[in-house]
Amino acid sequence: MSRRVRIFLFLPLAAAFLILLLAAMEGIPAIGHYRGPYGDVLNAITVKERHTTGVVSAVNFDYRGFDTLGEESILFVSVIGATLLLRQRPDEIKDTNESEQDEGARKVPEPSDAVRLLSLALAAPAVLFGIYVVTHGQLTPGGGFQGGVVLATVPLLVYVAGDLEIFKKVAPAMLGELAESAGVGGYILIGVAGLIWGKSFLENVVPLGPADPKVYSGGTIPLISLATGMAVAGGFVLLLISFLEETLELRLKTKRRGK
């Protein structure tokens, strides 16, 4: 398809999309003018019913916990699909090795000292912040999804710092697989616990804790948030390894040759 044809098709479609977007934005209520009743109801009952001030986490991991399990399963299946698509076949590995023997083959520049220092300095705070977000979702904005993404950035920071040997140690593929599987499996087990106790799937079976919400309040909400954090962190680390595997091996070989 020629460039002219692509532009001819793109322009009317882009204009139609812009018109629909503007029409949709017309229906958005102004800031501070919330129209729906559900948010007000949840704000009024969540603290009393679930002993948690994190209303969003209460919705995600309790009131509509089954939907969230579906969303987490979508991430799980997506990571598996991406990993299968990105894995190298034996003939691809052979082609890569042959191409590396050519002069002027792909050269990955080493990071500067400033980038290396900043990346390593951010790694430990990122770990602490990720754990905080995962474990405090029932009290403050956050939870397993957000905290899991924060934790998954730690191996990326190590990679950006250029310390490839440490990257392979802190982010082995098996650890990512275990974390993701344990997270999804733990979520399902918490749901099954409700059936074992004679209640509904994912219905709370853990004491709610003090009425004045604490970090251990909320019954199964913090447990499900933790399981979700593990699944999300493991899934994103697996994706990172899959995307960087070829470049990582190439950089490690180049580094070993330089010694």
Side-chain angles (χ1 to χ4, degrees), residues 64-74 184 187-188 201-202:
R64 43 147 286 185
F66 192 76
D67 292 344
T68 305
L69 176 60
E71 294 167 355
E72 190 173 313
S73 301
I74 291 173
V184 176
Y187 201 134
I188 295 173
F201 183 74
L202 281 174

Side-chain angles (χ1 to χ4, degrees), residues 168-215:
K168 294 201 74 173
K169 292 179 181 177
V170 301
M174 182 175 292
L175 181 62
E177 293 171 357
L178 284 175
E180 188 182 26
S181 302
V184 176
Y187 201 134
I188 295 173
L189 286 177
I190 293 170
V192 172
L195 299 177
I196 294 174
W197 261 262
K199 299 184 177 181
S200 301
F201 183 74
L202 281 174
E203 188 172 348
N204 179 57
V205 294
V206 178
L208 291 174
D212 181 18
K214 306 293 182 185
V215 71

Side-chain angles (χ1 to χ4, degrees), residues 41-42 44-52 62-63 204 208 218:
V41 172
L42 288 168
I45 67 173
T46 300
V47 177
K48 295 179 182 177
E49 285 190 352
R50 299 295 187 266
H51 293 191
T52 171
D62 192 313
Y63 292 118
N204 179 57
L208 291 174

Side-chain angles (χ1 to χ4, degrees), residues 88-100:
Q88 286 184 306
R89 298 195 307 269
D91 55 335
E92 291 176 325
I93 296 174
K94 182 180 178 182
D95 293 342
T96 301
N97 292 333
E98 290 176 351
S99 66
E100 291 171 22

Side-chain angles (χ1 to χ4, degrees), residues 19 23 32 59 74 82 99-100 104 108 117 122-123 131 148 154 156 161 166 188 195 210 222 226 231-232 236 239 248:
I19 293 171
V59 171
I74 291 173
S99 66
E100 291 171 22
V108 181
L117 179 63
L122 290 173
I131 293 174
V154 177
L156 181 60
I166 294 179
I188 295 173
L195 299 177
L226 180 62
V232 172
F236 275 91
L239 281 178
L248 178 65

Side-chain angles (χ1 to χ4, degrees), residues 108-112 116 161-162 164 251 254-255:
V108 181
E110 292 294 326
S112 66
R116 192 190 303 270
L164 307 180
R251 291 181 64 178
T254 304
K255 187 177 179 181

